């Protein structure tokens, strides 16, 4: 007679935890305590920036009461952690910046509220690049839990490497089994790229699908919340809870009802047309990444999908377009941080203008200052038409390129990033090196399309490689179905670094 060893709680995904909680195999309090202990054990990774055991256990006890009463939500008792770009009442909300050090919000972000309404229990807040500006999570100005000073987040597959950004703490928490699920935000690839670098699954929904209310703004026409977890099945459960209209509080929220993204996960993908953009497989793509992506595409062919060559001719233009539009919006959004109403204020100043200058000089990090200056420049008199307006015109052309491609295919596939995660400090003081790493994620972001990263294998140094899937507007269910079918045929998403 064979016996199977029961999985440790941290080895269970969202769906498994939800099922175990409903079956009374363990309690929400036990699950919360287990993950809190694990977060404290692995503080060296720098993933968490705030924990509040009292608040977490109070939420877990309330979840247990609902489970006992038979009034449980879809995610009742499942632990989750939030990127520190979402405001929360029970935890500080800093956006990884000295400018908001110690800020305690009087309300929760809509995404946080929706997940709580579904029964999720908040473990804490996760490290991120300052104001979500970065591709490596080396730009955080907040000390992680267990640290006395700001420190970069470390990739659990190799702690000498970056985890990706800006949702690096989120990706590390899932990969290292410090949380079964997390929230992230994606402005130019900040869910997909760290998910790829850390070997987990992450999805950015169609722009406007999830409310931006309570999400500290970077670039308002690009920022979008999304879930990160181990599998497409788990992401589908989370996304179903996160999405839905919020017109009273978010003017960018779409009037599209919430959807059960789990319903079509097991549908056949026989005959699915997968577009392969020539521009995603050029000279800059590392051979190890290409090999992993090609391997995943072969799996799709075995499952009955058809690979279709397509073109996205303005892919290279996405970098200059993004790095004009995003800084322009950032310079506007970050003007509210002036030391008057909330956040950091300089101690010594002579008048109001001097207070503004010193507060912003002290409170913002180098990358944030760089983007504010670029944004202010491209919006200034004499340069608006030459830069910002032209960038918006090309943005529309990039979106049109995708629509032309979708005439010939159902989804688009390719790499998430040109390389695996690089070494901490490797790009040094060269921000352009980080910017260039976003070449494959930026086009979909500029077009507002849903996109996701799915574990596809391993490259140089045994580091994870993600496959990017991009769908047409509101095609999240199709993406999740394609990802789920791949994960049923492979085990990359099940592998753990710890």
């Amino acid at each position: 007679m064979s016996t199977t060893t029961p999985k440790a709680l941290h080895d269970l995904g969202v769906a498994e935890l939800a099922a175990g909680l409903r079956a009374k195999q363990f309690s929400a309090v036990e699950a919360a305590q287990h993950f809190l202990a694990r977060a404290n054990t692995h503080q060296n990774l720098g993933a968490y920036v705030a924990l509040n055991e009292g608040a977490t256990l109070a939420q877990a006890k309330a979840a247990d009461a609902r489970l006992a009463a038979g009034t449980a939500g879809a995610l009742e008792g499942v632990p989750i952690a939030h990127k520190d770009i979402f405001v929360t009442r029970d935890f500080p909300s800093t956006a990884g910046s000295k400018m908001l050090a110690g800020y305690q919000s009087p309300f929760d972000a809509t995404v946080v509220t929706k997940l709580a309404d579904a029964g999720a229990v908040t473990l804490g807040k996760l490290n991120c690049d300052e104001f979500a500006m970065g591709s490596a999570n080396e730009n955080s100005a907040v000390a992680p839990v267990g640290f006395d000073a700001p420190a970069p987040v470390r990739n659990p597959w190799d702690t000498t490497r970056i985890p990706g950004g800006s949702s690096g703490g989120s990706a590390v928490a899932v990969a290292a089994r410090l949380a079964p699920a997390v929230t992230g935000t994606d402005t130019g690839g900040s869910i997909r790229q760290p998910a790829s670098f850390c070997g987990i699954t992450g999805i950015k929904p169609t722009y406007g699908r999830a409310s931006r209310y309570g999400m500290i703004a970077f670039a308002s026409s690009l920022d979008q919340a999304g879930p990160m977890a181990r599998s497409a099945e788990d992401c589908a459960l989370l996304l179903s809870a996160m999405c839905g209209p919020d017109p009273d509080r978010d003017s960018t929220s779409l009037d599209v009802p919430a959807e059960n993204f789990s319903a079509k996960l097991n549908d056949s993908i026989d005959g699915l047309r997968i577009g392969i953009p020539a521009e995603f497989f050029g000279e800059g793509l590392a051979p190890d990444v290409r090999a992993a992506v090609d391997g995943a595409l072969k799996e799709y062919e075995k499952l009955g999908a058809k690979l279709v060559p397509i073109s996205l001719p303005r892919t290279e233009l996405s970098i200059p377009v993004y790095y004009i539009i995003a800084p322009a919006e950032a310079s506007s959004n970050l003007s509210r941080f002036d030391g008057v109403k909330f956040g950091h204020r300089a101690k010594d100043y002579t008048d109001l203008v001097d207070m503004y200058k010193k507060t912003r000089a002290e409170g913002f990090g180098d990358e944030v200052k760089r983007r504010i200056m670029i944004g202010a420049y491209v919006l200034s008199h004499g340069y608006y038409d030459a830069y910002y307006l032209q960038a918006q015109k090309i943005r529309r052309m990039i979106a049109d390129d995708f629509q032309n491609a979708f005439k010939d295919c159902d989804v688009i596939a390719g790499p998430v990033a040109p390389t695996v995660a690089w070494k901490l400090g490797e790009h040094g003081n060269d921000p352009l090196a980080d910017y260039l790493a976003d070449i494959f994620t930026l086009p979909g972001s500029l077009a507002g399309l849903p996109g996701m990263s799915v574990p596809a294998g391993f490259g140089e140094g045994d580091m994870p490689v993600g496959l990017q899937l991009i769908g047409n507007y509101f095609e999240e269910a199709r993406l999740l179905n394609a990802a789920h079918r791949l994960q049923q045929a492979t085990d990359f998403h099940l592998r753990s670094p710890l």
Side-chain angles (χ1 to χ4, degrees):
M1 189 174 77
S2 65
T3 57
T4 56
T5 305
K7 284 185 179 180
L9 285 177
H10 59 267
D11 285 327
L12 299 176
V14 173
E16 293 170 307
L17 282 164
L21 285 159
R22 287 177 184 275
K24 307 289 195 295
Q25 293 172 359
F26 45 85
S27 70
V29 168
E30 287 170 333
Q33 288 172 329
H34 182 87
F35 279 100
L36 286 171
R38 194 162 170 83
N40 283 312
T41 300
H42 296 285
Q43 290 179 356
N44 64 303
L45 297 173
Y48 279 92
V49 290
L51 296 169
N52 181 344
E53 186 174 334
T56 298
L57 295 181
Q59 289 180 29
K61 286 174 185 174
D64 279 331
R66 289 189 291 271
L67 284 160
T71 57
L75 300 173
E76 201 66 63
V78 175
I80 191 169
H82 295 292
K83 182 177 179 178
D84 193 27
I85 206 80
F86 295 98
V87 299
T88 45
R89 281 179 297 187
D90 294 328
F91 303 84
S93 303
T94 69
S97 179
K98 181 182 176 183
M99 186 62 86
L100 281 171
Y103 173 68
Q104 200 82 25
S105 171
F107 65 95
D108 285 331
T110 295
V111 162
V112 173
T113 300
K114 280 181 171 287
L115 287 165
D117 288 346
V121 172
T122 302
L123 292 168
K125 300 295 283 294
L126 296 161
N127 211 336
C128 62
D129 282 307
E130 186 178 3
F131 288 103
M133 298 180 189
S135 302
N137 221 145
E138 293 180 291
N139 295 334
S140 176
V142 176
V145 172
F147 287 72
D148 296 324
V153 184
R154 295 178 180 273
N155 194 312
W157 293 93
D158 177 353
T159 54
T160 68
R161 295 179 187 252
I162 58 106
S166 63
S167 307
S170 296
V172 167
V174 174
R177 310 301 195 244
L178 313 184
V182 299
T183 55
T185 60
D186 194 307
T187 305
S190 290
I191 285 174
R192 291 161 287 162
Q193 186 243 38
S196 174
F197 285 176
C198 292
I200 67 166
T201 307
I203 181 167
K204 176 195 91 74
T206 302
Y207 177 78
R209 270 281 214 180
S211 174
R212 292 177 50 253
Y213 180 75
M215 190 167 85
I216 299 168
F218 160 19
S220 300
S221 74
L222 292 157
D223 297 343
Q224 187 57 200
M228 303 168 77
R230 258 175 279 166
S231 68
E233 181 184 19
D234 289 351
C235 283
L237 285 168
L238 295 158
L239 194 63
S240 298
M242 291 171 65
C243 288
D246 191 20
D248 294 337
R249 294 181 294 186
D250 175 14
S251 62
T252 63
S253 172
L254 296 172
D255 189 15
V256 178
E259 188 177 330
N260 177 7
F261 293 109
S262 301
K264 297 181 179 179
L265 280 181
N266 290 302
D267 285 5
S268 170
I269 60 167
D270 188 43
L272 181 75
R273 300 172 303 164
I274 300 178
I276 309 298
E279 294 78 8
F280 282 27
F281 292 86
E283 288 182 13
L285 183 62
D288 56 326
V289 173
R290 173 149 199 169
V293 169
D294 285 346
L297 294 174
K298 284 187 175 70
E299 288 293 337
Y300 273 122
E301 287 186 302
K302 290 179 191 174
L303 293 166
K306 295 179 173 62
L307 304 187
V308 180
I310 60 165
S311 178
L312 296 171
R314 294 177 180 86
T315 294
E316 283 191 10
L317 291 176
S318 64
I319 292 179
V321 168
Y322 176 86
Y323 284 101
I324 288 172
I325 293 172
E329 295 183 8
S331 72
S332 175
N333 279 323
L334 270 60
S335 64
R336 73 192 70 180
F337 299 102
D338 55 14
V340 176
K341 303 179 190 70
F342 51 79
H344 175 74
R345 179 185 292 180
K347 289 183 179 177
D348 301 312
Y349 50 87
T350 54
D351 56 27
L352 187 64
V353 173
D354 191 44
M355 186 194 79
Y356 289 160
K357 289 179 179 178
K358 288 180 176 173
T359 294
R360 291 168 68 80
E362 294 170 7
F364 290 136
D366 289 345
E367 182 61 28
V368 175
K369 290 175 183 173
R370 186 180 295 117
R371 298 199 193 194
I372 289 172
M373 290 170 68
I374 292 169
Y377 178 80
V378 301
L379 290 176
S380 62
H381 181 69
Y383 297 101
Y384 178 92
D385 289 351
Y387 292 105
Y388 184 74
L389 197 60
Q390 291 300 109
Q392 290 288 15
K393 288 177 180 177
I394 299 171
R395 180 183 192 175
R396 168 46 54 196
M397 294 177 187
I398 290 170
D400 290 342
D401 287 343
F402 276 104
Q403 292 310 304
N404 287 331
F406 282 125
K407 292 174 184 174
D408 299 318
C409 65
D410 303 309
V411 299
I412 294 169
V416 175
T419 66
V420 296
W422 54 89
K423 297 280 187 178
L424 285 161
E426 184 177 320
H427 289 176
N429 295 317
D430 181 10
L432 284 177
D434 281 2
Y435 298 171
L436 290 170
D438 298 334
I439 181 73
F440 302 133
T441 55
L442 291 178
S445 290
L446 289 165
L449 294 166
M452 66 186 297
S453 176
V454 189
F458 294 84
E460 176 258 326
D462 290 326
M463 295 302 293
V465 174
L467 172 76
Q468 181 175 202
L469 297 175
I470 302 169
N472 212 340
Y473 301 112
F474 311 116
E475 292 278 342
E476 291 85 358
R478 176 174 267 167
L479 290 182
L480 289 160
N481 165 229
H484 181 61
R485 296 309 301 239
L486 178 66
Q487 290 179 339
Q488 287 177 318
T490 60
D491 70 347
F492 301 123
H493 65 294
L494 299 176
R495 301 188 193 180
S496 171
L498 298 178

